[in-house]
Amino acid sequence: MVQITINGKQVEVPEGTTVLRAAEMAGIHIPKLCDHKELTPYGGCRLCIVEVQGVRVPMASCTLPVNNGMVVNTETEALKKSRKFVLSMLFSERNHFCPFCQVSGGDCELQNAAYHEEMTHWPIQPGWNTFAVDTSHPYFVLDNNRCILCRRCVRACAEMAGNFTLSVAERGAKSMVVADTDVPLGESTCIKCGSCVQVCPTGALIDKTSAYQMHDKDLTEVKSICTGCSVGCSIKLMVRDNRIVRIEGDWDGSVNHGVLCEHGRYSALNNSRKRITSPLMKKNGKLEPVTWNEAMKAVADKMRPLHSQKDGIAAIVATKLPAETLMAFKDLFNGNDLVTSAEEGVPTASVLKFAEKQGAFEGKLDVLRTADTVLCIGANVGHAHMVAGFMFKRNMPRGTRLINIDPGESELDDLANIALKPRAGSDLSLILGLQAVIVKEGLGRQSLALADVDSLIQKAVEETGLSLDQLTQTGRVLANSITPVILFGKGITAQRDERLVEELYKLAVLVGAVDAERAGLLSVKGEANSLTAALLGLDKAIELNGHKAVYVAVGDDFVSKSLVERVSKAPYLVVQASYESKLTEQADVVLPVTIWSEQEGHYINLDGRIQKTTRVLPTPENVRDNLAVVQELATRMNISLESNWQQAITARKSSVSLN
């Protein structure tokens, strides 16, 4: 620890801490604009200057590391004069017309900094230049008239999302934030994560949907968890008048540290599906609105005599629902031969089957942050589970290598150092071939007994369609890595072959990705509660064999074409859903239920973190909570729901440590 004095106050901070962070720890305010706690210190705006005893000139506190015994002053008259001059120059360079700006009135860090220095006017007249406003992006606007060139957006694009779309073109007064080679944002490589918008200190980047609606001080901030996928990002819901104005990443989030993808920030609020607002029953071949009592009585009367019959009820539940609902659903239909999830355990069944004999073998997402090589096999994190991809993409310019293995087209192909396109279904031969190459060349960190390495290599070349050079190069890169990570997804798990997971594990051990100190093997799972559903045993394949009734609790999840087709011939179909779909169209009874923002419950993300979502919106009239519907149906069917989901998930061995 290091002791320093700031404005006469003694502060003890860890070695390597910057003066700015030390001041924040001590509750001392230092104005800043280019600095952000999740970005590498930049030292560009010079607003955070401080005086250090023994140093002739003021220093930028955001880049200045503390020294033991350092004495710092942050509020001298000379510093105040310098800060006013810096702010005057910033206001003069662009068109900062505060009365007309959408973030004026407390949301603009530039304006707030000026008020802090007691500025009431422009000491220097602006240049009155006019810059074009880019509105081509579907979610946000880029207005260089309000830009102060702090480069927060550029750094966020690189350091948070690892996308490197934004940069600064030209020099001096002509400097301008641009996308790619100065193309419109809507035509650029932007992945729509919105990190640049959230870190912008002025009105240069603004959301199209939330701009001009209200200031942050008028919003209620509610922390919750994104249920868009199994990564489990922490989010902040900005709410007013029973409406979510916008979604932001939570900088204190243990998984994502403030970063979100397009779905988590924007898609969740841009839903064009039609909401179901009343129970529906099929009468004379057409769905008609009915009361809850009539709908629930009809379902209970139909289900009661079929309960526990071998071919009675097929029960299917979406893995986007909370753990409490999944547990109650399983209890309700316990005794029927088909109680499973809509995912059928595709992302998890083979993983947990291997865990039954191996124990917890998967690591945490954080291993991706420090990996020097990432092998992605069957996991397109450029499209789904994107925040997991951000964790290593951001490090690629600093040397992290990417090996992407996917028979189809992938967003990661252009980024990868090695992109392999093996034949579909040849994954096992490929994995065994990589093992054989590493063993043959003596590059393994652990011993692995293989019968005939040459025949395994030859078989891999023949079955995958890859060349020997491609196989050898991949094996060498992986084996020569210091902190490799193997990330796999549905391309592997959809084959429901436990041996694929086992051989991947052996490969990970062979190259040192998994050892006594580190677990660099991880699967991306599927929906938000895929792991919970699997631990509860909801991972059977959907095989309807003369079942007399089908009950599907889909909630607000999207319905796959495959599911619709498979239940299309059900003699009696009940659908518990939030939105209209092809599935609800063919139902005999439709029960309208809450969406993600109207309910709360627990979720287990892909690396075993148990988190809870928060209810932020009231339940619409005549719509009921998913859990409440299951509980009422159980009451009407005289079934007791006494199981505890927290105890139930421990009955099966998990592939990751739960915490």
Side-chain angles (χ1 to χ4, degrees), residues 318-613:
T319 53
K320 194 180 177 184
L321 294 173
E324 292 85 348
T325 304
L326 295 179
M327 185 69 253
F329 186 88
K330 180 186 177 182
D331 268 3
L332 173 62
F333 295 105
N334 191 27
N336 295 281
D337 68 334
L338 182 58
V339 185
T340 188
S341 69
E343 283 187 311
E344 306 175 78
V346 167
T348 51
S350 58
V351 174
L352 263 67
K353 190 175 181 181
F354 178 61
E356 288 173 0
K357 64 180 181 182
Q358 184 62 39
F361 65 91
E362 293 189 76
K364 298 295 184 183
L365 274 165
D366 287 341
V367 297
L368 291 169
R369 302 180 191 275
T370 55
D372 65 346
T373 299
V374 177
L375 169 65
C376 266
I377 179 166
N380 188 359
V381 291
H383 176 70
H385 305 86
M386 294 174 69
V387 173
F390 296 167
M391 293 180 185
F392 64 82
K393 283 171 58 183
R394 63 183 66 150
N395 293 326
M396 291 184 69
R398 294 193 287 269
T400 295
R401 293 163 296 187
L402 172 61
I403 302 168
N404 190 48
I405 302 176
D406 196 326
E409 294 299 317
S410 168
E411 285 86 346
L412 297 180
D413 288 339
D414 292 337
L415 298 174
N417 302 85
I418 299 175
L420 302 182
K421 297 293 178 186
R423 294 191 184 100
S426 64
D427 301 283
L428 183 57
S429 292
L430 173 59
I431 295 167
L432 293 172
L434 288 173
Q435 292 177 1
V437 166
I438 294 167
V439 170
K440 182 178 181 179
E441 299 202 355
L443 298 175
R445 298 190 193 179
Q446 300 287 336
S447 61
L448 178 63
L450 294 177
D452 187 345
V453 294
D454 289 322
S455 64
L456 287 174
I457 293 171
Q458 183 61 33
K459 184 179 180 181
V461 170
E462 291 174 357
E463 293 192 4
T464 63
L466 302 174
S467 68
L468 178 59
D469 285 344
Q470 286 177 304
L471 198 67
T472 302
Q473 182 190 13
T474 302
R476 288 173 178 170
V477 169
L478 191 59
N480 288 323
S481 303
I482 299 173
T483 54
V485 172
I486 297 176
L487 187 67
F488 64 100
K490 288 185 181 180
I492 294 294
T493 58
Q495 299 175 54
R496 304 183 81 93
D497 185 354
E498 179 196 346
R499 193 185 172 196
L500 274 171
V501 179
E502 183 176 359
E503 295 304 332
L504 266 181
Y505 175 76
K506 289 180 180 178
L507 177 62
V509 173
L510 182 64
V511 299
V514 174
D515 54 33
E517 299 179 354
R518 187 171 174 272
L521 179 64
L522 191 62
S523 61
V524 295
K525 314 297 188 298
E527 294 279 12
N529 244 345
S530 286
L531 182 55
T532 307
L535 291 173
L536 294 175
L538 298 170
D539 56 3
K540 293 182 182 178
I542 298 175
E543 296 176 355
L544 301 179
N545 296 312
H547 288 84
K548 298 179 177 63
V550 177
Y551 192 107
V552 183
V554 69
D556 62 354
D557 203 358
F558 288 89
V559 179
S560 69
K561 183 179 179 181
S562 172
L563 179 60
V564 174
E565 290 175 350
R566 278 189 276 185
V567 303
S568 61
K569 295 182 180 179
Y572 189 79
L573 176 62
V574 180
V575 179
Q576 181 176 316
S578 308
Y579 298 103
E580 292 183 0
S581 66
K582 293 291 184 181
L583 187 65
T584 60
E585 286 178 6
Q586 61 190 36
D588 292 280
V589 180
V590 178
L591 305 174
V593 287
T594 49
I595 62 174
W596 62 275
S597 56
E598 299 162 359
Q599 62 191 10
E600 65 179 20
H602 288 84
Y603 289 79
I604 306 177
N605 82 330
L606 63 86
D607 67 0
R609 301 172 205 249
I610 301 175
Q611 306 178 107
K612 187 178 181 182
T613 58

Side-chain angles (χ1 to χ4, degrees), residues 189-430:
T189 57
C190 174
I191 54 173
K192 307 178 183 70
C193 72
S195 296
C196 57
V197 181
Q198 187 169 339
V199 301
C200 180
T202 65
L205 282 161
I206 58 167
D207 280 328
K208 285 185 173 180
T209 53
S210 64
Y212 293 105
Q213 292 200 33
M214 54 204 69
H215 294 122
D216 284 357
K217 61 182 175 63
D218 300 318
L219 299 175
T220 300
E221 178 186 297
V222 181
K223 292 192 175 187
S224 190
I225 303 298
C226 176
T227 60
C229 75
S230 58
V231 174
C233 294
S234 298
I235 57 176
K236 293 189 298 184
L237 302 166
M238 311 304 288
V239 183
R240 189 181 183 188
D241 298 332
N242 294 328
R243 181 172 63 90
I244 299 174
V245 176
R246 69 174 183 272
I247 300 174
E248 294 185 349
D250 183 0
W251 301 120
D252 298 323
S254 59
V255 176
N256 56 318
H257 297 282
V259 184
L260 293 178
C261 68
E262 177 185 2
H263 178 86
R265 191 184 300 272
Y266 296 116
S267 298
L269 297 181
N270 291 275
N271 198 333
S272 59
R273 293 181 290 172
K274 188 175 180 180
R275 191 76 187 265
I276 303 171
T277 57
S278 171
L280 304 171
M281 280 184 62
K282 189 165 287 183
K283 297 180 178 181
N284 300 318
K286 184 180 179 181
L287 286 171
E288 300 285 352
V290 296
T291 65
W292 268 101
N293 183 59
E294 183 180 354
M296 293 299 285
K297 183 178 184 303
V299 174
D301 290 346
K302 182 69 176 181
M303 298 290 176
R304 194 180 300 109
L306 299 177
H307 194 267
S308 298
Q309 291 185 19
K310 184 178 180 181
D311 59 351
I313 306 168
I316 305 166
V317 64
T319 53
K320 194 180 177 184
L321 294 173
E324 292 85 348
T325 304
L326 295 179
M327 185 69 253
F329 186 88
K330 180 186 177 182
D331 268 3
L332 173 62
F333 295 105
N334 191 27
N336 295 281
D337 68 334
L338 182 58
V339 185
T340 188
S341 69
E343 283 187 311
E344 306 175 78
V346 167
T348 51
S350 58
V351 174
L352 263 67
K353 190 175 181 181
F354 178 61
E356 288 173 0
K357 64 180 181 182
Q358 184 62 39
F361 65 91
E362 293 189 76
K364 298 295 184 183
L365 274 165
D366 287 341
V367 297
L368 291 169
R369 302 180 191 275
T370 55
D372 65 346
T373 299
V374 177
L375 169 65
C376 266
I377 179 166
N380 188 359
V381 291
H383 176 70
H385 305 86
M386 294 174 69
V387 173
F390 296 167
M391 293 180 185
F392 64 82
K393 283 171 58 183
R394 63 183 66 150
N395 293 326
M396 291 184 69
R398 294 193 287 269
T400 295
R401 293 163 296 187
L402 172 61
I403 302 168
N404 190 48
I405 302 176
D406 196 326
E409 294 299 317
S410 168
E411 285 86 346
L412 297 180
D413 288 339
D414 292 337
L415 298 174
N417 302 85
I418 299 175
L420 302 182
K421 297 293 178 186
R423 294 191 184 100
S426 64
D427 301 283
L428 183 57
S429 292
L430 173 59

Side-chain angles (χ1 to χ4, degrees), residues 180-195:
D180 296 332
T181 55
D182 198 7
V183 302
L185 265 174
E187 300 172 14
S188 70
T189 57
C190 174
I191 54 173
K192 307 178 183 70
C193 72
S195 296

